[in-house]
Amino acid sequence: MHLNWRPWLREQRGFLIFLLGLGVMRGALADWNPVPTGSMRPTVLEGDVVLVDKRAYDWRLPFTSIDLHRHAEPQRGDIVVAFSPADGTRLLKRLVALPGDTVAVVDGALWLNGAPVPLHGGGAASDEASPLGPLPAWRADEALPQGARHAVQRLPVHGPLQEMAPLTLGPDAYFLLGDNRDHSADSRVFGPVPRRLLVGRVSRLLVSVDPQAWTPRWERAGLALR
């Protein structure tokens, strides 16, 4: 039996062109990513869908990490999507240190170039529910050098993430942390991230859904992030 695909292709031509354009856009210009974990709480929540600007730093060949043109430099405080250098997992983290910076973690606090990063307005908060109920948390605004203030969260736990010896970053190497400092696998675990593994910058949410009740969080739709 011979199938003639030509009539179907003619009828679906517009839709196929749309799909092709969408694929190229996601490969080279912009993308969206659902957030499955709480490593960026309280800034980004599970169930948020973030908009990723792939043109923020580099023009790249679509669907590759091949740079065609570098037109901007990543900045301290940027929220970025990157691939883990350990296993290639796609991550959402905050960029806190640049090439040439010396970064350390002392008793859970971030240090840059020999000085602690200032924290402002700290206070008690309640984190997401656990099997034992809501977790107590502490939140403050962190002020990175030359960066806007952003919220960070600490939990009442003690572990290996709370200490890291000073590390000086090499060329094209960036240090990423989750805003939920005691519940994030980040550069304290897998080390600095090469620039070629930075996918793009995130500055806004598209939509958000409560993953427990599967109901929209309308108040977070289109929310600007910092």
Side-chain angles (χ1 to χ4, degrees), residues 153-178:
Q153 175 171 287
R154 297 289 308 279
L155 299 173
V157 298
H158 298 279
L161 296 180
Q162 295 188 329
E163 301 290 339
M164 191 192 79
L167 172 68
T168 299
L169 302 180
D172 279 351
Y174 299 86
F175 202 86
L176 309 184
L177 291 179

Side-chain angles (χ1 to χ4, degrees), residues 28-48:
L29 304 180
D31 201 354
W32 53 89
N33 288 104
V35 178
T37 73
S39 69
M40 280 294 289
R41 279 179 168 266
T43 311
V44 182
L45 308 179
E46 304 93 319
D48 287 346

Side-chain angles (χ1 to χ4, degrees), residues 31-118:
D31 201 354
W32 53 89
N33 288 104
V35 178
T37 73
S39 69
M40 280 294 289
R41 279 179 168 266
T43 311
V44 182
L45 308 179
E46 304 93 319
D48 287 346
V49 178
V50 297
L51 179 64
V52 186
D53 181 1
K54 290 188 170 184
R55 304 169 304 163
Y57 311 125
D58 308 304
W59 288 98
R60 288 179 174 164
L61 193 66
F63 308 107
T64 76
S65 60
I66 299 174
D67 284 343
L68 300 177
H69 175 65
R70 293 188 176 191
H71 61 87
E73 294 302 317
Q75 301 297 314
R76 297 188 194 96
D78 286 356
I79 300 174
V80 300
V81 169
F83 293 113
S84 167
D87 59 11
T89 301
R90 202 173 177 99
L91 306 168
L92 178 71
K93 304 295 178 186
R94 190 177 297 275
L95 192 156
V96 300
L98 304 173
D101 283 343
T102 297
V103 59
V105 179
V106 179
D107 193 24
L110 176 64
W111 284 54
L112 277 180
N113 301 318
V117 175

